[in-house]
Amino acid sequence: MSHAIRRFRPQDAEAMIAFARSLPEHDLLFLSRDVREPRVVAAWLKAIEEGEIDSLIAEDGGQIVATAALVRDPLSWSAHVGEVRLLVAPGRRGAGLGSDLLQGIFMIAKERGLSKLVARMTVDQTGSIALFEGVGFRAEAMLKDQVRGTDGRSHDVAILSYDAARVAALHAATGIE
């Protein structure tokens, strides 16, 4: 399986909605908005245009198979923090696609001068947690019953964080580039 990674563009809106609708609802619960809805994707694209979000997509054969976003608020007290959001099609997990997208997000975060990244996911998404921990994120908090699916069931959300200075110091101490 191959893929190409590039920026998310306005002409990708319909393909993004189709991708999001192909995912199990549970994969979307950590997001604050339902990206299966056209108006949510329109707002996402507007936020990209306004410089509040950087988004990447991974394509295979012209079809979106994954997406990653870096969300920030340059006017907040937390302007140094970015939120990472990652979605990968179930059939494409475990093949390095999420890692490739995260590396792109790390490069963007560095360009933006961010010193901390956070990511949210439901606690049962063990593959996602392992992926994020594998690139240096660590558990920071858990929010009980934070999200509720359309079936009415509540789910806990894990918050992981990546402290760029801490990871750089660790790498320097161990000689890892």
Side-chain angles (χ1 to χ4, degrees), residues 72-137:
R72 62 197 179 288
D73 182 354
L75 301 177
S76 79
W77 293 108
S78 298
H80 64 290
V81 179
E83 181 181 346
V84 179
R85 298 174 182 169
L86 178 68
L87 294 168
V88 179
R92 301 300 296 261
R93 295 176 187 161
L97 182 54
S99 294
D100 289 350
L101 283 166
L102 283 177
Q103 291 308 312
I105 291 296
F106 280 141
M107 289 189 299
I108 293 168
K110 187 173 183 178
E111 289 170 9
R112 300 284 187 234
L114 301 177
S115 59
K116 182 176 182 177
L117 302 176
V118 296
R120 298 181 308 159
M121 59 211 67
T122 56
V123 297
D124 58 346
Q125 292 177 311
T126 55
S128 294
I129 292 170
L131 170 65
F132 278 84
E133 288 179 338
V135 297
F137 280 77

